[in-house]
Amino acid sequence: MSVSVQEADFDAGAEIAALSAGRDDVGAVASFVGLVRADKQTEKVGADNTAPVQAMTLEHYPGMTEKALDAIVAGARGRWELQGVRVIHRVGRLVPGDRIVFVAVASAHRGEAFAACEFIMDYLKTRAPFWKKEETAAGGRWVDARESDDHAAGRWESGSD
Amino acid sequence: MTVKVLFFAGLREALGTGSEALALPAGIATVGALRDHLAARGQAWAALASMKNLRVAVNQRMVGLDAALKAGDEVAFFPPVTGG
């Protein structure tokens, strides 16, 4: 079970430990935890709309989400020699400080682990069907996709990793 | 032929529906033709044609507007994704 989409929180430490439990060939585990930030300024709605985020709701496309994440993990495994991968993405309503996403990669050496962790996050941002809706004092608003995320994923396709 | 059409996120809210089973008129054989057929309903539906970054998945795989449709397909329209 390398990919989970769930409402429940996760224990990053336990997930990291599980990747190397009972084996002696793992030399590196790189991990990433994404959190809900309160200070995000809403974009493209005028200078007056800078209310802090009070909560956000994550919607997803059940079925496709898991397939997309599996495909991203398979892509990482095709590029690097990996010993274990764990991806958890939460859905539902979250508040600032809550964990949203977890990615951890185990490999023999740190280079593969760092690179694969970043690769998975970059593709998750652009290929996995999740959508965030922010709640502020001014109301609800769907988050716009960012071009910088497309660029981040695109660099893995240029062969310059 | 009949397909299942899904909408997500801001598009779902704007259209007021998340899914429908749709019997396609003859001649609608691609995702792009389906998109235009739905957009022709007018009002909020017109957004399907004007959205610059509309994304489409057929049977849970991202495709382009030129992708062919067959009976029983699950076709999802949605804005660019914003997870992570």
Side-chain angles (χ1 to χ4, degrees):
Chain A
M1 189 189 60
S2 70
V3 166
S4 300
V5 179
Q6 61 191 44
E7 289 194 13
D9 194 12
F10 50 82
D11 180 338
E15 296 293 343
I16 290 168
L19 282 173
S20 61
R23 52 194 296 180
D24 60 8
D25 58 335
V26 174
V29 178
S31 66
F32 173 84
V33 176
L35 306 164
V36 179
R37 220 170 62 235
D39 65 354
K40 183 168 181 182
Q41 305 292 300
T42 51
E43 295 150 29
K44 297 180 183 171
V45 282
D48 55 324
N49 192 349
T50 55
V53 173
Q54 296 170 337
M56 66 170 51
T57 300
L58 277 129
E59 175 173 331
H60 78 121
Y61 180 174
M64 181 175 169
T65 312
E66 293 81 357
K67 284 181 191 172
L69 293 174
D70 282 341
I72 293 165
V73 170
R77 286 184 172 281
R79 288 176 83 106
W80 296 283
E81 192 75 29
L82 305 179
Q83 295 165 324
V85 178
R86 184 79 173 106
V87 178
I88 303 172
H89 204 300
R90 295 181 68 192
V91 293
R93 190 170 183 274
L94 302 172
V95 298
D98 280 352
R99 288 171 280 270
I100 306 177
V101 61
F102 175 80
V103 175
V105 178
S107 60
H109 305 285
R110 72 181 186 284
E112 291 90 335
F114 276 130
C117 190
E118 198 167 17
F119 171 97
I120 289 168
M121 271 310 301
D122 285 349
Y123 277 98
L124 184 153
K125 288 284 230 182
T126 55
R127 302 282 174 86
F130 293 99
W131 300 273
K132 291 191 185 109
K133 187 175 189 179
E134 296 174 343
E135 296 169 30
T136 72
R141 178 178 170 273
W142 290 96
V143 173
D144 283 328
R146 301 196 315 184
E147 253 180 58
S148 58
D149 288 333
D150 282 331
H151 291 311
R155 75 201 154 112
W156 298 103
E157 286 158 24
S158 64
S160 60
D161 59 304
Chain B
M1 66 180 171
T2 299
V3 296
K4 183 180 181 187
V5 187
L6 303 177
F7 308 101
F8 288 96
L11 195 55
R12 172 179 56 74
E13 284 189 346
L15 299 177
T17 183
S19 84
E20 68 176 281
L22 185 64
L24 296 182
I28 294 184
T30 65
V31 165
L34 170 59
R35 190 268 314 258
D36 293 343
H37 175 67
L38 292 169
R41 290 171 171 177
Q43 297 178 344
W45 295 90
L48 283 166
S50 60
M51 262 177 74
K52 188 175 56 162
N53 295 316
L54 182 70
R55 300 286 196 267
V56 193
V58 172
N59 299 327
Q60 306 186 350
R61 290 193 54 164
M62 297 265 249
V63 297
L65 289 172
D66 57 347
L69 294 177
K70 62 181 188 308
D73 278 347
E74 178 175 296
V75 185
F77 293 96
F78 47 82
V81 302
T82 56

Coordinates of all heavy atoms in Angstrom, one line a residue, chain A residues 34 58-65 67-68 89 100-101 121 124-133 142-146 149-150, chain B residues 4 6-14 52-53 55-63 74-84:
Chain A
G34 N 3.6 18.5 3.5 CA 3.0 19.8 3.2 C 1.9 20.1 4.2 O 1.2 19.2 4.7
L58 N -10.3 20.1 0.6 CA -9.7 19.4 -0.6 C -10.7 18.5 -1.2 O -11.2 17.5 -0.5 CB -8.5 18.7 -0.1 CG -7.3 19.6 -0.1 CD1 -6.5 19.5 1.3 CD2 -6.3 19.3 -1.2
E59 N -11.0 18.7 -2.4 CA -11.9 17.8 -3.2 C -11.0 16.9 -4.1 O -9.9 17.4 -4.5 CB -12.8 18.6 -4.1 CG -13.7 17.9 -5.0 CD -14.7 18.8 -5.7 OE1 -15.1 19.8 -5.1 OE2 -15.1 18.4 -6.8
H60 N -11.4 15.7 -4.4 CA -10.6 14.9 -5.3 C -11.6 14.1 -6.2 O -12.8 14.2 -6.1 CB -9.6 14.1 -4.6 CG -10.1 12.9 -3.9 ND1 -9.7 11.6 -4.2 CD2 -11.1 12.7 -3.0 CE1 -10.4 10.7 -3.5 NE2 -11.2 11.4 -2.7
Y61 N -11.0 13.3 -7.1 CA -11.7 12.5 -8.1 C -11.5 11.1 -7.7 O -10.5 10.5 -8.1 CB -11.2 12.8 -9.5 CG -11.8 12.1 -10.6 CD1 -11.4 12.5 -11.9 CD2 -12.7 11.1 -10.5 CE1 -12.0 11.8 -13.1 CE2 -13.3 10.4 -11.6 CZ -12.9 10.8 -12.9 OH -13.4 10.2 -14.0
P62 N -12.3 10.5 -6.8 CA -12.1 9.2 -6.3 C -11.9 8.2 -7.5 O -12.6 8.2 -8.4 CB -13.3 8.8 -5.5 CG -13.9 10.2 -5.1 CD -13.6 11.1 -6.3
G63 N -10.9 7.3 -7.3 CA -10.6 6.4 -8.4 C -9.5 6.9 -9.3 O -8.4 6.3 -9.3
M64 N -9.7 8.0 -9.9 CA -8.6 8.6 -10.7 C -7.5 9.1 -9.9 O -6.3 8.9 -10.2 CB -9.1 9.8 -11.6 CG -8.0 10.3 -12.4 SD -8.5 11.6 -13.6 CE -6.9 12.2 -14.1
T65 N -7.8 9.6 -8.7 CA -6.7 10.1 -7.8 C -5.7 9.0 -7.5 O -4.5 9.2 -7.7 CB -7.3 10.6 -6.5 OG1 -8.4 11.5 -6.8 CG2 -6.3 11.4 -5.7
K67 N -5.2 6.2 -9.1 CA -4.5 5.8 -10.3 C -3.4 6.8 -10.7 O -2.3 6.4 -11.1 CB -5.5 5.7 -11.5 CG -6.4 4.5 -11.5 CD -7.3 4.4 -12.7 CE -8.3 3.4 -12.5 NZ -9.3 3.4 -13.6
A68 N -3.7 8.1 -10.6 CA -2.7 9.1 -11.0 C -1.5 9.0 -10.0 O -0.4 9.1 -10.5 CB -3.4 10.5 -10.9
H89 N -2.2 11.5 0.9 CA -2.8 12.9 0.6 C -4.1 12.9 1.3 O -4.9 12.0 1.2 CB -3.0 13.1 -0.9 CG -3.0 14.6 -1.3 ND1 -4.0 15.4 -0.8 CD2 -2.2 15.3 -2.1 CE1 -3.8 16.6 -1.3 NE2 -2.7 16.6 -2.0
I100 N -1.2 18.2 5.0 CA -2.0 17.9 3.8 C -1.5 16.6 3.1 O -2.2 15.7 2.8 CB -2.0 19.0 2.8 CG1 -2.5 20.3 3.4 CG2 -2.9 18.6 1.6 CD1 -2.4 21.5 2.4
V101 N -0.2 16.6 3.0 CA 0.4 15.6 2.1 C 1.8 15.1 2.6 O 2.5 15.9 3.3 CB 0.6 16.2 0.6 CG1 1.6 17.4 0.6 CG2 1.1 15.2 -0.3
M121 N 6.5 15.0 -5.7 CA 5.7 16.2 -5.3 C 5.4 17.0 -6.5 O 4.3 17.6 -6.7 CB 6.5 17.0 -4.2 CG 6.2 16.6 -2.8 SD 4.4 16.5 -2.4 CE 3.8 18.1 -2.8
L124 N 2.7 15.3 -8.5 CA 1.5 15.3 -7.7 C 0.8 16.7 -7.8 O -0.5 16.7 -8.0 CB 1.8 15.0 -6.2 CG 0.7 14.9 -5.2 CD1 1.1 14.0 -4.1 CD2 0.2 16.2 -4.7
K125 N 1.5 17.8 -7.8 CA 1.0 19.1 -7.9 C 0.3 19.4 -9.3 O -0.6 20.2 -9.3 CB 2.1 20.1 -7.8 CG 2.6 20.3 -6.3 CD 1.7 21.0 -5.5 CE 2.3 22.1 -4.7 NZ 1.3 22.8 -3.9
T126 N 0.7 18.7 -10.3 CA 0.2 19.0 -11.6 C -0.6 17.9 -12.3 O -1.3 18.1 -13.3 CB 1.4 19.3 -12.6 OG1 2.3 18.2 -12.6 CG2 2.1 20.6 -12.2
R127 N -0.5 16.7 -11.7 CA -1.2 15.5 -12.4 C -2.3 14.9 -11.5 O -3.1 14.1 -12.1 CB -0.2 14.5 -12.8 CG 0.9 14.9 -13.7 CD 0.5 15.0 -15.1 NE 1.5 15.6 -15.9 CZ 2.5 15.0 -16.5 NH1 2.6 13.7 -16.4 NH2 3.3 15.6 -17.3
A128 N -2.2 15.0 -10.2 CA -3.2 14.3 -9.4 C -4.4 15.2 -9.2 O -4.3 16.3 -8.9 CB -2.5 13.9 -8.1
P129 N -5.6 14.6 -9.4 CA -6.8 15.4 -9.4 C -7.3 15.7 -8.0 O -8.3 15.2 -7.5 CB -7.8 14.5 -10.2 CG -7.4 13.1 -10.0 CD -5.9 13.2 -9.9
F130 N -6.7 16.7 -7.4 CA -7.1 17.3 -6.2 C -7.3 18.8 -6.4 O -6.7 19.4 -7.3 CB -6.0 17.3 -5.1 CG -5.6 15.9 -4.6 CD1 -4.5 15.3 -5.2 CD2 -6.3 15.3 -3.6 CE1 -4.1 14.0 -4.7 CE2 -6.0 14.0 -3.2 CZ -4.9 13.4 -3.7
W131 N -8.3 19.4 -5.7 CA -8.6 20.8 -5.8 C -8.8 21.4 -4.4 O -9.5 20.8 -3.6 CB -9.8 21.1 -6.7 CG -9.7 20.5 -8.1 CD1 -9.2 21.2 -9.1 CD2 -10.1 19.2 -8.5 NE1 -9.2 20.4 -10.2 CE2 -9.7 19.2 -9.9 CE3 -10.7 18.1 -7.9 CZ2 -10.0 18.0 -10.7 CZ3 -10.9 17.0 -8.7 CH2 -10.6 16.9 -10.0
K132 N -8.2 22.6 -4.2 CA -8.3 23.2 -2.9 C -9.3 24.4 -3.0 O -9.2 25.2 -3.9 CB -7.0 23.8 -2.5 CG -5.9 22.8 -2.2 CD -4.7 23.6 -1.5 CE -3.5 22.6 -1.3 NZ -2.4 22.9 -2.2
K133 N -10.2 24.5 -2.0 CA -11.0 25.6 -1.9 C -10.7 26.3 -0.5 O -10.9 25.6 0.5 CB -12.5 25.3 -1.9 CG -13.4 26.5 -2.0 CD -14.9 26.1 -2.2 CE -15.7 27.4 -2.4 NZ -17.1 27.0 -2.6
W142 N -11.9 29.0 -4.9 CA -11.1 27.9 -5.4 C -9.7 28.4 -5.7 O -9.5 29.5 -6.3 CB -11.7 27.3 -6.7 CG -12.9 26.6 -6.3 CD1 -14.2 27.0 -6.4 CD2 -13.0 25.2 -5.8 NE1 -15.1 26.1 -6.0 CE2 -14.4 25.0 -5.6 CE3 -12.1 24.2 -5.5 CZ2 -14.9 23.7 -5.1 CZ3 -12.6 23.0 -5.1 CH2 -13.9 22.8 -4.9
V143 N -8.7 27.7 -5.3 CA -7.3 28.1 -5.5 C -7.0 27.9 -7.0 O -7.3 26.9 -7.6 CB -6.3 27.2 -4.7 CG1 -4.9 27.5 -5.0 CG2 -6.6 27.5 -3.2
D144 N -6.3 28.9 -7.6 CA -5.8 28.8 -9.0 C -4.6 28.0 -9.1 O -3.7 28.1 -8.2 CB -5.5 30.2 -9.5 CG -6.8 31.0 -9.9 OD1 -7.8 30.4 -10.3 OD2 -6.8 32.2 -9.7
A145 N -4.5 27.2 -10.2 CA -3.2 26.5 -10.4 C -2.1 27.5 -10.7 O -2.4 28.6 -11.2 CB -3.4 25.6 -11.6
R146 N -0.9 27.2 -10.3 CA 0.2 28.1 -10.5 C 1.1 27.6 -11.6 O 1.4 26.4 -11.7 CB 1.0 28.2 -9.2 CG 0.2 28.7 -8.1 CD 1.0 29.2 -6.9 NE 2.1 28.2 -6.6 CZ 2.9 28.4 -5.6 NH1 2.8 29.5 -4.8 NH2 3.9 27.6 -5.4
D149 N 4.2 25.7 -10.8 CA 4.1 24.2 -10.6 C 4.3 23.4 -11.9 O 4.9 22.4 -11.9 CB 2.8 23.9 -9.9 CG 2.7 24.3 -8.5 OD1 3.7 24.4 -7.8 OD2 1.6 24.6 -8.0
D150 N 3.7 24.0 -13.0 CA 3.9 23.3 -14.3 C 5.4 23.3 -14.7 O 5.9 22.4 -15.2 CB 3.1 24.0 -15.4 CG 1.6 23.7 -15.3 OD1 1.3 22.6 -14.9 OD2 0.8 24.5 -15.7
Chain B
K4 N -21.0 8.7 -19.2 CA -21.1 9.3 -17.9 C -20.2 10.6 -17.9 O -19.0 10.5 -18.2 CB -20.7 8.3 -16.8 CG -20.9 8.9 -15.4 CD -20.5 7.8 -14.4 CE -20.7 8.3 -13.0 NZ -20.2 7.3 -12.0
L6 N -18.7 13.8 -15.7 CA -18.4 14.3 -14.3 C -17.8 15.7 -14.4 O -17.1 16.0 -15.3 CB -17.4 13.3 -13.6 CG -17.8 11.8 -13.5 CD1 -16.6 11.1 -12.9 CD2 -19.0 11.7 -12.7
F7 N -18.1 16.4 -13.3 CA -17.5 17.8 -13.2 C -17.0 17.9 -11.8 O -17.6 17.4 -10.8 CB -18.6 18.8 -13.4 CG -19.3 18.7 -14.7 CD1 -20.6 18.1 -14.7 CD2 -18.8 19.0 -15.9 CE1 -21.3 17.9 -15.9 CE2 -19.5 18.8 -17.1 CZ -20.7 18.3 -17.1
F8 N -15.9 18.6 -11.6 CA -15.2 18.8 -10.3 C -14.9 20.2 -10.0 O -14.8 21.1 -10.9 CB -13.9 17.9 -10.3 CG -14.2 16.5 -10.2 CD1 -14.1 15.7 -11.4 CD2 -14.5 15.8 -9.0 CE1 -14.4 14.3 -11.3 CE2 -14.8 14.5 -9.0 CZ -14.7 13.7 -10.1
A9 N -14.8 20.4 -8.7 CA -14.3 21.7 -8.1 C -15.1 22.9 -8.6 O -16.4 22.8 -8.5 CB -12.8 21.9 -8.5
G10 N -14.5 24.0 -9.0 CA -15.2 25.2 -9.3 C -16.2 25.0 -10.5 O -17.3 25.6 -10.5
L11 N -15.9 24.1 -11.4 CA -16.7 23.8 -12.5 C -18.0 23.1 -12.0 O -19.1 23.4 -12.4 CB -16.0 22.9 -13.5 CG -16.6 22.8 -14.9 CD1 -16.8 24.1 -15.6 CD2 -15.6 21.9 -15.7
R12 N -17.9 22.2 -11.1 CA -19.0 21.5 -10.5 C -19.9 22.5 -9.8 O -21.2 22.4 -10.0 CB -18.5 20.4 -9.5 CG -19.6 19.8 -8.7 CD -19.1 18.8 -7.7 NE -18.1 19.3 -6.8 CZ -18.4 20.2 -5.7 NH1 -19.6 20.5 -5.5 NH2 -17.4 20.6 -5.0
E13 N -19.4 23.4 -9.1 CA -20.2 24.4 -8.4 C -20.9 25.3 -9.4 O -22.0 25.7 -9.2 CB -19.3 25.2 -7.5 CG -18.9 24.5 -6.2 CD -18.3 25.4 -5.2 OE1 -17.8 26.5 -5.5 OE2 -18.2 24.9 -4.0
A14 N -20.1 25.8 -10.4 CA -20.7 26.7 -11.4 C -21.9 26.1 -12.2 O -22.9 26.7 -12.5 CB -19.6 27.2 -12.4
K52 N -9.9 28.5 -20.4 CA -8.6 28.4 -21.1 C -7.9 27.1 -20.7 O -7.2 26.5 -21.5 CB -7.8 29.6 -20.8 CG -6.5 29.8 -21.6 CD -5.8 31.1 -21.3 CE -5.6 31.2 -19.8 NZ -4.6 32.2 -19.4
N53 N -8.0 26.7 -19.5 CA -7.2 25.6 -19.0 C -8.1 24.4 -18.6 O -7.7 23.7 -17.7 CB -6.5 26.1 -17.7 CG -5.5 27.1 -18.0 OD1 -4.8 27.0 -19.0 ND2 -5.4 28.2 -17.2
R55 N -9.4 20.9 -18.2 CA -8.8 19.6 -18.3 C -9.8 18.5 -18.4 O -11.0 18.7 -18.0 CB -8.0 19.3 -17.0 CG -6.9 20.3 -16.6 CD -5.7 20.1 -17.5 NE -4.5 20.8 -17.1 CZ -4.2 22.0 -17.4 NH1 -4.9 22.7 -18.3 NH2 -3.1 22.6 -16.9
V56 N -9.5 17.5 -19.1 CA -10.4 16.4 -19.4 C -9.7 15.1 -19.1 O -8.6 14.8 -19.5 CB -10.9 16.4 -20.9 CG1 -12.1 15.5 -21.0 CG2 -11.2 17.8 -21.3
A57 N -10.5 14.2 -18.5 CA -10.0 12.8 -18.3 C -11.1 11.9 -18.9 O -12.3 12.1 -18.7 CB -9.8 12.5 -16.9
V58 N -10.7 10.8 -19.6 CA -11.6 9.8 -20.1 C -11.2 8.5 -19.4 O -10.0 8.1 -19.5 CB -11.6 9.6 -21.6 CG1 -12.4 8.4 -22.1 CG2 -12.1 10.9 -22.3
N59 N -12.2 7.9 -18.7 CA -11.9 6.7 -18.0 C -10.7 6.9 -17.0 O -9.8 6.0 -16.9 CB -11.7 5.5 -18.9 CG -13.0 5.3 -19.7 OD1 -14.1 5.5 -19.2 ND2 -12.8 4.8 -20.9
Q60 N -10.7 8.1 -16.4 CA -9.7 8.4 -15.3 C -8.3 8.6 -15.8 O -7.4 8.5 -15.1 CB -9.8 7.4 -14.2 CG -11.3 7.3 -13.7 CD -11.4 6.4 -12.5 OE1 -10.5 5.8 -12.0 NE2 -12.6 6.5 -11.9
R61 N -8.1 8.9 -17.1 CA -6.8 9.2 -17.7 C -6.9 10.6 -18.4 O -7.9 10.8 -19.2 CB -6.3 8.2 -18.6 CG -6.0 6.9 -18.0 CD -5.2 6.0 -18.9 NE -4.0 6.7 -19.5 CZ -3.0 6.1 -20.1 NH1 -3.1 4.7 -20.3 NH2 -2.0 6.7 -20.5
M62 N -6.0 11.5 -18.1 CA -6.0 12.8 -18.8 C -5.8 12.6 -20.3 O -5.0 11.9 -20.7 CB -4.9 13.6 -18.2 CG -5.0 13.9 -16.7 SD -5.8 15.5 -16.4 CE -4.4 16.4 -15.8
V63 N -6.7 13.3 -21.0 CA -6.6 13.3 -22.5 C -6.7 14.7 -23.1 O -7.1 15.6 -22.4 CB -7.7 12.4 -23.1 CG1 -7.6 10.9 -22.6 CG2 -9.1 12.9 -22.7
E74 N -16.4 7.2 -19.1 CA -16.5 8.1 -18.0 C -15.7 9.3 -18.4 O -14.5 9.2 -18.5 CB -16.0 7.5 -16.7 CG -16.1 8.5 -15.5 CD -15.7 7.8 -14.2 OE1 -16.4 6.8 -13.8 OE2 -14.7 8.1 -13.7
V75 N -16.4 10.5 -18.7 CA -15.7 11.7 -19.1 C -15.7 12.7 -18.0 O -16.8 13.1 -17.6 CB -16.3 12.2 -20.4 CG1 -15.5 13.4 -21.0 CG2 -16.4 11.1 -21.5
A76 N -14.6 13.2 -17.5 CA -14.6 14.2 -16.5 C -14.0 15.5 -17.0 O -12.9 15.5 -17.6 CB -13.7 13.6 -15.3
F77 N -14.7 16.6 -16.7 CA -14.2 17.9 -17.0 C -13.8 18.6 -15.7 O -14.6 18.5 -14.7 CB -15.2 18.7 -17.7 CG -15.6 18.2 -19.1 CD1 -16.7 17.4 -19.2 CD2 -14.8 18.6 -20.2 CE1 -17.0 16.9 -20.5 CE2 -15.1 18.1 -21.4 CZ -16.2 17.3 -21.6
F78 N -12.7 19.3 -15.6 CA -12.3 20.0 -14.4 C -11.2 21.0 -14.6 O -10.6 21.0 -15.7 CB -11.8 19.0 -13.3 CG -10.8 17.9 -13.8 CD1 -9.5 18.2 -13.9 CD2 -11.3 16.6 -14.1 CE1 -8.6 17.2 -14.3 CE2 -10.4 15.6 -14.5 CZ -9.0 15.9 -14.6
P79 N -11.1 21.9 -13.7 CA -10.0 23.0 -13.8 C -8.7 22.3 -13.5 O -8.6 21.2 -13.0 CB -10.4 24.0 -12.7 CG -11.6 23.5 -12.0 CD -11.9 22.1 -12.4
P80 N -7.6 23.1 -13.8 CA -6.3 22.6 -13.4 C -6.2 22.2 -11.9 O -6.8 22.8 -11.1 CB -5.4 23.8 -13.7 CG -6.1 24.5 -14.8 CD -7.5 24.4 -14.5
V81 N -5.5 21.2 -11.7 CA -5.4 20.6 -10.3 C -4.6 21.5 -9.4 O -3.7 22.1 -9.8 CB -4.9 19.1 -10.3 CG1 -5.8 18.3 -11.2 CG2 -3.5 19.1 -10.8
T82 N -4.9 21.4 -8.1 CA -4.2 22.3 -7.1 C -4.0 21.5 -5.8 O -4.1 22.1 -4.7 CB -5.1 23.5 -6.8 OG1 -6.4 23.1 -6.4 CG2 -5.2 24.4 -8.0
G83 N -3.6 20.3 -5.9 CA -3.3 19.5 -4.7 C -1.9 19.8 -4.1 O -1.2 20.7 -4.6
G84 N -1.6 19.0 -3.2 CA -0.2 19.0 -2.6 C -0.1 20.1 -1.5 O -1.0 20.8 -1.2

